[in-house]
């Protein structure tokens, strides 16, 4: 299959390679995270779409464990940053230090200089420190003392936060939340999964046994395959219609940004590739609307007082927006 401009949209061999590699990563993660295939799949979608993932849930359900399991499954550089109120922006980005021997300033990289950055309890850092992530998450670079340092691909931030405990926390600003491609909630495990967890986690930490099943170079190739997945004009219009509807909603004081539209399409391309398709269906956007859009929306006072949150409001919007013809050949030459 080819796109209208003649560029390959990804052949079967490429998609088979992608599914084989991601299948190994998924199996590796599921050795640690029991009974959460949808959450693991969402993490893989974000990684393949070159996005960043926010994992938000109550304590003890495996947020950090999921982050570490994904990081350890890939043979690449990994750094963990424990966000605390006294964490400084320079701890995140790096700092220039004067070398007494050379009589020159030397740059010492901070925690973001890695392929996968695990930010634990990101909402415990001050807004000033949180803002240190803005440039690197959007532009894959860090600027310190008027010098720009580029971050090596792949680059992914996996951050966790606890939405319940408010003491000693700082709510993520809208600009920060908008840079996360998706937000997922791990949730409590079902009974069988929790029993299996007791059997596997009480003897030793299964995270210690995880070995990499792929590397950074292979992930970069998979990202290129996802980039060639075809998105028809009808599906593009559907994505814009969804985000436009959030901006026009009378229940929201802040709708989805153009960046949200871009993230929705990119995530849908990754989801389609994981499903073995080289084209995006409206169902891909429909399924990802919640994880990709909900955390960016702000209900107005009336909606909040009536008990409606961004997720329930978004569900109503998605149901109202007309779904286009799912014919994958639309828009192809």
């Amino acid at each position: 299959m080819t796109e209208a401009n003649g560029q390959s949209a990804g052949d079967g061999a490429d998609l088979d390679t992608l599914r084989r590699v991601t299948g190994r990563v998924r199996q590796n993660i599921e050795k640690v995270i029991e009974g959460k295939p949808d959450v693991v799949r969402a993490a893989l979608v974000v990684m393949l779409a070159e996005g960043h993932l926010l994992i938000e849930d109550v304590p003890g359900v495996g947020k950090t464990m999921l982050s570490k399991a994904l990081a350890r499954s890939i043979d690449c550089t990994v750094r963990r940053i424990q966000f605390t109120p006294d964490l400084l922006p320079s701890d995140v980005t790096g700092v220039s230090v004067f070398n007494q021997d050379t009589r020159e300033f030397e740059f010492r990289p901070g925690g973001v200089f890695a392929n996968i950055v695990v930010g634990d309890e990101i909402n415990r850092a001050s807004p000033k420190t949180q803002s240190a992530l803005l440039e690197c998450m959007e532009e894959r670079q860090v600027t310190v003392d008027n010098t720009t340092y580029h971050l090596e691909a792949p680059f992914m931030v996996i951050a966790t936060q606890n939405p319940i405990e408010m003491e000693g926390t700082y709510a993520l600003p809208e600009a920060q939340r908008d840079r996360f491609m998706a937000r997922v909630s791990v949730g409590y495990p079902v009974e069988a999964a929790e029993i299996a967890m007791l059997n596997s986690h009480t003897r030793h930490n299964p995270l210690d046994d995880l070995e990499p099943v792929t590397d950074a170079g292979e992930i970069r190739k998979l990202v290129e395959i996802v980039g060639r997945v075809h998105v028809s004009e009808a599906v593009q219009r559907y994505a814009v219609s969804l985000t436009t509807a959030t901006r026009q909603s009378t229940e929201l004081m802040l709708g989805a940004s153009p960046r949200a539209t871009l993230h929705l399409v990119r995530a849908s391309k990754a989801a389609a590739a994981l499903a073995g398709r080289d084209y995006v269906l409206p169902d891909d956007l429909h399924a990802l609307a919640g994880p990709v859009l909900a955390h960016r929306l702000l209900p107005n006072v009336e909606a909040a007082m009536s008990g409606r949150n961004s997720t329930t409001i978004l569900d109503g919007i998605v149901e109202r927006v007309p779904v286009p013809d799912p014919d994958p050949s639309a828009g192809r030459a």
Side-chain angles (χ1 to χ4, degrees):
M1 294 182 178
T2 56
E3 295 187 9
N5 61 8
Q7 183 181 2
S8 172
D11 57 33
D14 286 341
L15 293 175
D16 287 344
T17 299
L18 184 144
R19 297 188 73 182
R20 184 175 65 253
V21 174
T22 55
R24 294 201 304 264
V25 175
R26 180 187 292 113
Q27 291 174 1
N28 219 36
I29 298 173
E30 289 178 350
K31 293 177 183 177
V32 177
I33 303 297
E34 306 280 352
K36 295 294 177 182
D38 292 342
V39 176
V40 175
R41 183 177 181 276
L44 292 175
V45 165
V46 172
M47 179 182 69
L48 294 175
E50 294 188 286
H52 308 290
L53 182 65
L54 178 62
I55 307 174
E56 182 179 274
D57 215 323
V58 297
V61 295
K63 300 187 300 294
T64 304
M65 190 76 75
L66 172 62
S67 306
K68 289 182 176 180
L70 177 59
R72 292 195 182 190
S73 297
I74 304 171
D75 188 14
C76 60
T77 56
V78 179
R79 298 287 292 273
R80 178 178 180 271
I81 304 174
Q82 180 64 56
F83 283 81
T84 56
D86 60 348
L87 189 74
L88 298 175
S90 58
D91 297 326
V92 176
T93 60
V95 64
S96 296
V97 178
F98 186 72
N99 188 317
Q100 294 285 355
D101 296 330
T102 63
R103 313 297 295 177
E104 294 179 348
F105 281 94
E106 295 179 351
F107 178 68
R108 295 185 179 176
V112 297
F113 282 83
N115 294 119
I116 296 182
V117 179
V118 179
D120 208 7
E121 295 188 285
I122 188 173
N123 57 333
R124 289 200 173 276
S126 68
K128 182 178 181 180
T129 300
Q130 289 180 17
S131 66
L133 286 170
L134 296 178
E135 181 185 15
C136 67
M137 290 177 69
E138 179 65 17
E139 302 174 50
R140 266 66 173 179
Q141 65 182 33
V142 171
T143 302
V144 178
D145 294 335
N146 296 322
T147 301
T148 299
Y149 304 89
H150 294 279
L151 299 172
E152 184 182 356
F155 175 71
M156 180 180 184
V157 175
I158 308 173
T160 70
Q161 73 168 353
N162 173 12
I164 303 300
E165 185 181 352
M166 292 295 104
E167 184 177 352
T169 65
Y170 303 85
L172 294 184
E174 288 76 13
Q176 182 78 24
R177 292 201 308 271
D178 198 45
R179 279 165 168 78
F180 284 101
M181 176 171 283
R183 179 188 65 182
V184 297
S185 175
V186 178
Y188 292 113
V190 298
E191 182 181 4
E194 195 161 4
I195 291 173
M197 180 195 70
L198 294 177
N199 290 329
S200 61
H201 288 243
T202 51
R203 299 188 188 97
H204 68 289
N205 186 353
L207 199 61
D208 297 335
D209 298 334
L210 284 191
E211 296 291 337
V213 294
T214 186
D215 56 31
E218 198 161 31
I219 294 300
R220 286 193 289 269
K221 292 178 183 177
L222 300 187
V223 169
E224 292 178 2
I225 294 171
V226 169
R228 297 195 296 268
V229 171
H230 177 72
V231 185
S232 68
E233 183 178 348
V235 172
Q236 292 178 19
R237 289 183 180 278
Y238 181 49
V240 173
S241 296
L242 286 172
T243 52
T244 300
T246 66
R247 300 165 198 161
Q248 297 173 346
S249 173
T250 57
E251 295 184 286
L252 295 172
M253 57 186 290
L254 178 65
S257 67
R259 183 192 287 122
T261 312
L262 181 61
H263 282 181
L264 180 60
V265 171
R266 284 180 176 173
S268 298
K269 292 172 71 171
L274 283 174
R277 285 183 278 106
D278 67 345
Y279 55 89
V280 176
L281 292 175
D283 285 349
D284 297 319
L285 275 69
H286 194 280
L288 288 166
V292 175
L293 301 180
H295 65 286
R296 310 167 193 264
L297 311 178
L298 282 181
N300 58 28
V301 176
E302 293 79 5
M305 290 182 65
S306 63
R308 291 175 59 77
N309 57 32
S310 59
T311 301
T312 56
I313 295 171
L314 178 62
D315 288 343
I317 291 173
V318 171
E319 291 303 319
R320 290 194 299 270
V321 175
V323 179
D325 181 1
D327 181 7
S329 63
R332 290 183 181 274

